[in-house]
Amino acid sequence: MNDVVKPLSPRLSAVADKPGDRPSREEAEAAVRTLIRWAGDDPQREGLRETPKRVAKAFREFYSGYEDDPHEVLNKIFAEVEGYDDIVLVRDIPFYSHCEHHMVPFFGMAHIAYYPTKGVVGLSKLARLVEVFARRLQTQETMTAQIADAMETALEPRGVAVMIEAEHMCMSMRGVQKAGAMTLTTQFTGAFKDPAEQVRFLTLVRHGKA
């Protein structure tokens, strides 16, 4: 297969915007110490003394998606698909994200499908795309739309289908405290606007065969 690098449209640029002017690591650690005191504990006691450093380091990993660019993930495509124009589906992509409302985790599985036209991306790139958007402060609805929009912009496919299933700790461990409740979101474009194609996608996701 020959690969070709395609420039992406400005629509995806807005998705890839990064926050400006970050505080220093020292300021971040001071904020953690303030939160520990707000929780009712002493940030100077032995078990918590190194916690601000650990939290700051963990945050860089949890939110590394702000450093990543979906342009780079999807920019390289294989233009020669040897006549293949049927559905491409990667299902059961695990992810971990954080709710932007309470900054507590939500996690689950993402399923992505598309009908190629001008080319395909490596299958691992779809899993990487999920990571780019998951490792940010998110809502599940926004994340679902961002993945679909990035696919549309990069690949110009006949259609994209994205489904995300997740459990939200803001429901499980606080508030209504309903552990195990799952939230499902979908986004369909192009050919997948057809209800028959949606049924095919859902069947492949659930049972692995059309």
Side-chain angles (χ1 to χ4, degrees):
M1 287 187 179
N2 298 321
D3 57 279
V4 59
V5 175
K6 293 177 53 183
L8 304 187
S9 80
R11 220 164 34 112
L12 191 53
S13 298
V15 174
D17 284 345
K18 300 185 180 78
D21 297 338
R22 283 186 172 174
S24 68
R25 179 162 185 148
E26 291 74 19
E27 289 174 310
E29 291 176 10
V32 176
R33 282 190 285 271
T34 297
L35 288 173
I36 290 172
R37 294 204 318 272
W38 171 253
D41 215 321
D42 177 9
Q44 295 305 317
R45 73 175 174 84
E46 183 179 2
L48 291 173
R49 202 167 295 149
E50 298 299 314
T51 295
K53 291 182 181 179
R54 297 188 191 101
V55 171
K57 182 178 179 180
F59 264 43
R60 293 306 295 265
E61 183 176 353
F62 293 159
Y63 304 120
S64 61
Y66 289 115
E67 303 290 343
D68 295 328
D69 189 344
H71 290 76
E72 298 300 321
V73 174
L74 296 178
N75 220 21
K76 186 174 182 180
I77 68 169
F78 297 100
E80 183 183 331
V81 294
E82 299 179 355
Y84 186 83
D85 62 358
D86 205 346
I87 193 171
V88 177
L89 168 67
V90 179
R91 63 179 188 175
D92 299 334
I93 303 169
F95 74 89
Y96 299 87
S97 190
H98 284 78
C99 167
E100 67 181 32
H101 299 141
H102 301 98
M103 294 185 71
V104 295
F106 68 95
F107 58 92
M109 295 286 183
H111 318 282
I112 303 175
Y114 70 102
Y115 280 106
T117 54
K118 297 182 179 180
V120 299
V121 291
L123 299 179
S124 66
K125 300 299 185 182
L126 300 185
R128 180 65 184 141
L129 183 65
V130 172
E131 283 291 288
V132 168
F133 291 118
R135 291 185 178 272
R136 303 178 181 190
L137 291 170
Q138 276 289 14
T139 68
Q140 183 175 331
E141 297 88 344
T142 298
M143 181 176 157
T144 306
Q146 286 175 333
I147 293 170
D149 185 65
M151 293 284 294
E152 276 282 311
T153 303
L155 300 182
E156 299 177 17
R158 287 196 292 121
V160 173
V162 178
M163 182 168 76
I164 294 179
E165 304 171 276
E167 180 174 356
H168 292 248
M169 292 295 98
C170 59
M171 275 185 61
S172 300
M173 65 184 294
R174 62 163 299 281
V176 294
Q177 299 186 24
K178 298 299 181 184
M182 300 295 291
T183 299
L184 188 150
T185 51
T186 58
Q187 186 90 345
F188 299 111
T189 73
F192 285 103
K193 292 286 188 180
D194 182 344
E197 292 293 343
Q198 295 176 22
V199 169
R200 185 186 184 204
F201 168 69
L202 294 171
T203 300
L204 286 168
V205 167
R206 296 304 188 200
H207 305 295
K209 57 184 179 180

